[in-house]
Amino acid sequence: MSESPVVPAPSFAVTGATGQLGRRAVDALLRRGVPAGNVFALVRDLEKAKDLADLGVGVREADYDRPDTLGPALEGIERLLLISSPDNDNAVRQHTAVIEAADAADVGMVVYTSVIHADETELLLAPKHAETEDVLQGSGLPFAVARNGWYTENYTGRLDEYLARGEIVGAAGQGRISAATRADYAEAAVSLLTGDIADQQGYWELGGPSFTMAELAETITEVTGTTVVYRDLSVDELTDRLVEAGMDRATAEFVASLDASAARGELETDSPALENLLGRAPTSLVDAVRAARL
Ligand SMILES: NC(=O)c1ccc[n+]([C@@H]2O[C@H](COP(=O)([O-])OP(=O)(O)OC[C@H]3O[C@@H](n4cnc5c(N)ncnc54)[C@H](OP(=O)(O)O)[C@@H]3O)[C@@H](O)[C@H]2O)c1
């Protein structure tokens, strides 16, 4: 009687694997039971990836700015998580280089981390994502787009500052923000990456339970016992304040415009996709604030 042939598990690659989201995606793949030998961390700085190599995952050099690194990095990869580049000015060119290399390497599925409502928002971060989505669609590769909302860590990472000042200052008004933790977005991306391609293809609006800045301040007060209030400014006032604090005006205008987007509701979604992909409720704001206090 002949033995059934051993079917190798598909190989998964994660770009930006030394970054905060990418690292969590590698962890999520391993937690999901993918053998470390089938997980490849694509990084631009091999030195920064020693801890990843220690986990037994393959570490390959892949620099978005050096297309010659991308072909070898994607050799034999069946499913790729393309973590968006933080380089706003060059992101579309960089992402296009990765998508072209994935096409040339016959990658079977690309999951791209985009931004919430990428194709229908005034959010200044959106155009680079919408253009990348178009490139991906035009490539003919099977793909899923994870349109991530804001990271909860954008706020919990500033907890000490909020507590020291006793206030959160912004221009988000009553806008609701469907933020979620990086760990939840990473797990959702891995769910798209490892699932049935036919079911996962398409665009996924991802976000956690929404909150206003005033509700964030209330939650911080409740969890820490230190009173924190939200002070809402106009976009111009916030811009001036950021400039006074030492930020250059162009960056200050950009940062304040993100709050204007929040005020217009552009960071809110009622999509249940994150919960569905996780198979559980996303981490609550209370739990995220508690965890940031540890
Ligand atoms: N939803 C949100 O609230 C939010 C907030 C911030 C950013 N984002 C987006 O989400 C992405 C991931 O977030 P994150 O928190 O993981 O950011 P992060 O910690 O800054 O990680 C970015 C990753 O991109 C890598 N990278 C940068 N330039 C590269 C290049 N030329 N070639 C290859 N890799 C390159 C970095 O490599 P090194 O480790 O070598 O630096 C790092 O691993 C960001 O890049 C940004 O597009 C979303």
Side-chain angles (χ1 to χ4, degrees):
M1 201 173 72
S2 68
E3 286 182 25
S4 2
V6 177
V7 180
S11 42
F12 298 90
V14 178
T15 70
T18 46
Q20 299 168 86
L21 185 63
R23 175 60 209 242
R24 285 166 175 79
V26 170
D27 289 343
L29 277 165
L30 297 176
R31 270 203 317 277
R32 206 167 261 256
V34 177
N38 292 88
V39 178
F40 292 84
L42 307 193
V43 305
R44 65 172 166 176
D45 182 352
L46 295 169
E47 281 294 304
K48 278 178 77 176
K50 287 192 172 137
D51 62 321
L52 287 164
D54 288 345
L55 295 173
V57 309
V59 176
R60 294 178 175 178
E61 186 182 19
D63 187 330
Y64 303 151
D65 283 325
R66 292 178 44 222
D68 57 306
T69 62
L70 300 175
L74 291 169
E75 208 177 301
I77 298 301
E78 283 154 70
R79 299 196 184 192
L80 170 67
L81 174 56
L82 169 54
I83 304 264
S84 59
S85 168
D87 179 349
N88 279 333
D89 294 337
N90 297 299
V92 177
R93 172 181 56 74
Q94 294 175 328
H95 298 155
T96 301
V98 178
I99 292 164
E100 286 175 353
D103 194 14
D106 280 332
V107 169
M109 163 92 162
V110 177
V111 176
Y112 170 67
T113 60
S114 180
V115 77
I116 187 168
H117 308 309
D119 61 343
E120 50 170 11
T121 175
E122 291 174 45
L123 179 72
L124 289 185
L125 287 166
K128 68 172 182 178
H129 291 293
E131 283 181 54
T132 301
E133 290 182 3
D134 287 346
V135 173
L136 200 46
Q137 171 136 40
S139 73
L141 286 164
F143 70 91
V145 170
R147 286 184 174 158
N148 292 345
W150 248 214
Y151 297 151
T152 311
E153 289 90 340
N154 295 349
Y155 305 106
T156 54
R158 297 175 64 186
L159 197 54
D160 287 347
E161 176 198 325
Y162 297 154
L163 291 170
R165 291 179 188 274
E167 65 177 9
I168 301 170
V169 178
Q174 296 300 306
R176 302 197 69 80
I177 299 170
S178 303
T181 62
R182 283 189 181 88
D184 281 355
Y185 289 125
E187 206 177 312
V190 162
S191 178
L192 289 170
L193 201 64
T194 54
D196 186 75
I197 293 181
D199 292 342
Q200 315 292 37
Q201 281 202 80
Y203 302 84
W204 300 76
E205 298 285 346
L206 303 181
S210 68
F211 54 85
T212 63
M213 285 295 96
E215 288 168 1
L216 171 66
E218 281 164 24
T219 302
I220 291 172
T221 302
E222 183 188 309
V223 170
T224 65
T226 299
T227 300
V228 174
V229 297
Y230 176 57
R231 186 147 66 90
D232 196 47
L233 305 179
S234 71
V235 172
D236 287 346
E237 285 167 341
L238 179 60
T239 306
D240 289 344
R241 190 185 157 105
L242 293 170
V243 170
E244 279 160 27
M247 199 177 272
D248 68 84
R249 184 155 287 275
T251 307
E253 284 172 356
F254 176 76
V255 170
S257 85
L258 301 180
D259 268 23
S261 278
R264 289 193 296 267
E266 292 170 4
L267 301 182
E268 183 182 9
T269 177
D270 58 6
S271 160
L274 181 60
E275 178 155 356
N276 291 344
L277 288 171
L278 294 174
R280 59 168 171 81
T283 305
S284 68
L285 181 61
V286 170
D287 284 345
V289 173
R290 277 199 194 115
R293 281 292 277 167
L294 296 176

